[in-house]
Amino acid sequence: MKAAFVKSPFKFEIREVDLPPLKPNDVLLKIKASGICGTDLHTARTEAKDWQTFGHEIVGIVEEIGSCVENVKVGQSVLVESGSFCGTCENCRNGRVDLCHDRAPNVFIRAEKENLTMGFAEKVIIDKQNAVPFEGVPFEEASLVEPMGVALDLTYTVDPRLNDDVLVVGLGPIGLMAVQIVKAMGARRIFVANHSRSKIRIDVAKSFGVEDVILVDKTPISSYKFPKGGVDRALVTAPPYVIPEVLDVMNFGGV
């Protein structure tokens, strides 16, 4: 089978590779689509010191299962959960699986330890815990579920309330999905901030009914005149260096 490998800066190779026999909890997927994450770009730009596999926004069809796999069947369409948890540590047992430091073998760990393929390949081996069945959605759209999970995590953490004024910084796919989620949760006014060069993304945000678009290369966030003086909630999907400027426009009690 073929698999893509990356090495910084932006060097790529397509190689013929063999995958090992499945372990009892393994699921073999025939990959149908794989999204390109900002992390993949960082990896390609500077982080891949040696040749490595990459890609984690994965959807595919189950081709083979290990002897202990019961949650999916051969032929099913599945999403790949890109993180996993042990289920037995103190954090997991208290419902904070997001804080687990003893993760079960997920696609990243398996690939790192055993030199397996990841999303940019014809097939991938994952742990059964990472296989989530789905139906009724095209594979290309289903690959957006992984970044959509980030948008959901943002909104759950910020917890916008009815009639809040909300600022979303960054109009990548995660920011654009966050706009729609925040609107569905009852925000009164949604402002978005982005560089003016991303015209298509700005037009998409406008089609979602945002109150206004702040073009940060022309108007700094800190100098924008918000109707309430600032915003009640802010979701930042841009580099961390913008956070101090966002803090300057938060209303009292804002998140």
Side-chain angles (χ1 to χ4, degrees):
M1 54 164 279
K2 291 180 172 62
F5 287 73
V6 62
K7 183 179 180 180
S8 302
F10 292 104
K11 299 176 182 178
F12 303 93
E13 285 187 0
I14 304 296
R15 300 180 182 176
E16 289 286 343
V17 300
D18 294 316
L19 289 176
L22 297 190
K23 297 178 180 179
N25 289 330
D26 281 349
V27 176
L28 176 65
L29 291 187
K30 180 178 177 61
I31 296 175
K32 301 296 289 183
S34 199
I36 301 174
C37 177
T39 303
D40 297 320
L41 297 179
H42 292 312
T43 298
R45 185 178 294 111
T46 60
E47 295 176 12
K49 305 302 182 184
D50 199 0
W51 290 105
Q52 64 183 64
T53 55
F54 64 121
H56 58 270
E57 299 176 0
I58 306 167
V59 292
I61 296 175
V62 177
E63 193 166 276
E64 187 180 346
I65 58 176
S67 59
C68 294
V69 176
E70 298 177 346
N71 58 315
V72 294
K73 299 177 181 179
V74 173
Q76 274 190 303
S77 299
V78 301
L79 306 160
V80 175
E81 168 62 58
S82 60
S84 58
F85 51 90
C86 71
T88 58
C89 70
E90 182 178 358
N91 283 323
C92 284
R93 291 173 68 83
N94 284 329
R96 292 304 307 270
V97 297
D98 55 312
L99 300 180
C100 175
H101 289 291
D102 188 21
R103 294 176 295 171
N106 62 32
V107 64
F108 301 111
I109 297 171
R110 289 292 299 280
E112 291 167 1
K113 290 184 176 181
E114 303 176 31
N115 197 31
L116 299 180
T117 60
M118 290 181 64
F120 299 117
E122 291 183 307
K123 299 179 184 180
V124 65
I125 294 175
I126 62 172
D127 188 89
K128 66 179 182 180
Q129 181 186 142
N130 302 98
V132 182
F134 76 96
E135 58 183 18
V137 180
F139 289 111
E140 292 83 358
E141 294 178 16
S143 68
L144 287 170
V145 169
E146 197 276 344
M148 185 178 72
V150 181
L152 281 168
D153 187 52
L154 273 171
T155 53
Y156 291 162
T157 301
V158 171
D159 191 24
R161 304 299 177 88
L162 184 67
N163 285 331
D164 275 346
D165 281 4
V166 178
L167 170 65
V168 177
V169 183
L171 291 180
I174 292 170
L176 288 169
M177 287 188 281
V179 167
Q180 298 173 82
I181 297 168
V182 167
K183 185 174 183 180
M185 295 175 76
R188 174 168 49 180
R189 288 181 286 245
I190 303 172
F191 302 88
V192 296
N194 202 76
H195 198 282
S196 63
R197 64 175 174 264
S198 304
K199 185 179 184 305
I200 293 176
R201 293 177 176 183
I202 290 169
D203 289 343
V204 172
K206 289 178 178 178
S207 75
F208 293 157
V210 299
E211 182 78 11
D212 198 7
V213 178
I214 305 169
L215 303 178
V216 295
D217 50 319
K218 300 177 180 180
T219 304
I221 294 172
S222 56
S223 65
Y224 184 83
K225 304 301 181 184
F226 292 96
K228 293 170 62 176
V231 294
D232 306 302
R233 299 288 191 272
L235 295 82
V236 179
T237 70
Y241 66 77
V242 307
I243 292 176
E245 188 176 9
V246 175
L247 290 173
D248 288 340
V249 300
M250 298 306 300
N251 289 333
F252 186 74
V255 179

